[in-house]
Amino acid sequence: MKFNDKELEELLTINEQAKILVRGLTYTEDLGEKIFDCMKNKTKLDKEYIQKAHNNYLALCLIGLNQCDSKVFKKLDKYMEENK
């Protein structure tokens, strides 16, 4: 899935928030590197990492930081629904 720079920045920000606020997420370092790589090389984010990015939004919602109204989350959510 392809994201523009602004969307990738949001994904990176959400990943950093999840890394700090939700202990136990073991994938945030790797996901951050993949998002940064997509920004640098203008490449697509693989399905595995889309799932992890989607999980970050859900994890933040569980602790009361609802980011699920963002357009990026809705794009991720639609992708997850269509690619079960």
Side-chain angles (χ1 to χ4, degrees):
M1 173 177 243
K2 190 95 167 161
F3 294 95
N4 65 39
D5 287 340
K6 189 173 181 177
E7 291 169 331
L8 288 168
E9 286 177 24
E10 180 176 321
L11 291 176
L12 197 55
T13 300
I14 293 294
N15 189 60
E16 291 302 310
Q17 289 175 350
K19 183 188 326 182
I20 293 167
L21 297 172
V22 185
R23 302 213 186 258
L25 296 179
T26 58
Y27 57 80
T28 54
E29 286 293 328
D30 187 40
L31 178 58
E33 290 173 15
K34 290 293 182 183
I35 294 170
F36 185 75
D37 186 55
C38 287
M39 293 171 86
K40 180 180 170 186
N41 298 319
K42 305 292 184 203
T43 56
K44 293 181 179 183
L45 195 59
D46 296 331
K47 183 178 181 179
E48 171 189 359
Y49 296 102
I50 292 169
Q51 173 68 52
K52 292 174 181 179
H54 188 257
N55 288 347
N56 281 345
Y57 281 90
L58 297 176
L60 290 176
C61 284
L62 287 174
I63 64 168
L65 298 174
N66 188 0
Q67 300 288 340
C68 294
D69 288 336
S70 83
K71 290 179 183 178
V72 177
F73 174 75
K74 290 176 183 177
K75 184 175 180 176
L76 290 170
D77 201 43
K78 182 179 178 186
Y79 177 88
M80 294 305 301
E81 186 63 33
E82 292 173 352
N83 295 282
K84 287 184 179 181

